[in-house]
Amino acid sequence: SKITKTSKHYGSKRVYSSSSLSYSMSVPPEDTTHVITIDIGQVPRTFTVFDPASSSNTNKKRPVIIAFHGLGGDSAGMRQSTQFDRVAKERGWLVVYPQGEIDSLVGITSTYWNGQGCCLQDGADDISFTKSIIDYTVANFQVDEDKVFITGFS
């Protein structure tokens, strides 16, 4: 006999029914990616947050990895090359991929980081940007402020 299913969402449950049976099963939460823009001074700055489903529905504080791309790179490339999302999913961590500023560097347009006293001095304040990322993730993603890890390429 043919079973026709209808599906309805009830919070985290999906209920299936047919003329001959009815059952429910839990729907696993989904991983989420957030692209967030915050103002640092008068400059809008963007970062991407990967929030694995394995840890987003708990009240437990968790570590965060902030992964900076190298000169000329971008946050999407850093995300792809490091595969930190996979590790975060396995361990329940949050991962942040900040986007560097775009400017002309020796005649070519490139992305960069302004590391207080080095690199380009056009007013980009990446120290404040990094502090704001930490504050934002602690306030909005249940991050343990004692477990903030920063890495990157150069």
Side-chain angles (χ1 to χ4, degrees):
S1 76
K2 182 179 175 184
I3 298 176
T4 305
K5 296 181 194 174
T6 58
S7 173
K8 295 181 182 178
H9 289 276
Y10 295 101
S12 64
K13 297 267 186 199
R14 189 174 283 160
V15 176
Y16 296 96
S17 62
S18 71
S19 58
S20 61
L21 67 107
S22 179
Y23 61 95
S24 68
M25 62 184 216
S26 293
V27 176
E30 295 181 13
D31 299 337
T32 55
T33 296
H34 308 269
V35 177
I36 299 162
T37 300
I38 57 176
D39 288 331
I40 304 300
Q42 301 295 322
V43 180
R45 301 297 302 273
T46 302
F47 58 98
T48 301
V49 177
F50 174 72
D51 188 5
S54 60
S55 63
S56 60
N57 291 326
T58 71
N59 289 326
K60 183 180 176 190
K61 295 208 180 260
R62 57 199 163 147
V64 61
I65 300 171
I66 302 173
F68 288 90
H69 62 77
L71 178 69
D74 62 23
S75 57
M78 185 66 168
R79 186 176 186 184
Q80 178 64 34
S81 65
T82 62
Q83 296 292 302
F84 281 147
D85 291 4
R86 181 180 48 79
V87 176
K89 191 171 179 143
E90 290 170 3
R91 298 185 182 185
W93 297 356
L94 195 77
V95 185
V96 175
Y97 303 95
Q99 178 59 50
E101 280 293 282
I102 299 173
D103 201 0
S104 181
L105 176 68
V106 292
I108 59 171
T109 300
S110 185
T111 56
Y112 68 95
W113 300 106
N114 184 357
Q116 199 166 14
C118 80
C119 313
L120 303 174
Q121 299 295 325
D122 72 344
D125 185 353
D126 288 323
I127 303 299
S128 291
F129 180 40
T130 303
K131 288 177 181 177
S132 294
I133 289 171
I134 294 168
D135 291 345
Y136 188 92
T137 57
V138 167
N140 294 285
F141 290 98
Q142 298 165 321
V143 165
D144 183 342
E145 60 192 322
D146 293 324
K147 294 183 180 176
V148 176
F149 303 95
I150 297 178
T151 189
F153 290 143
S154 180

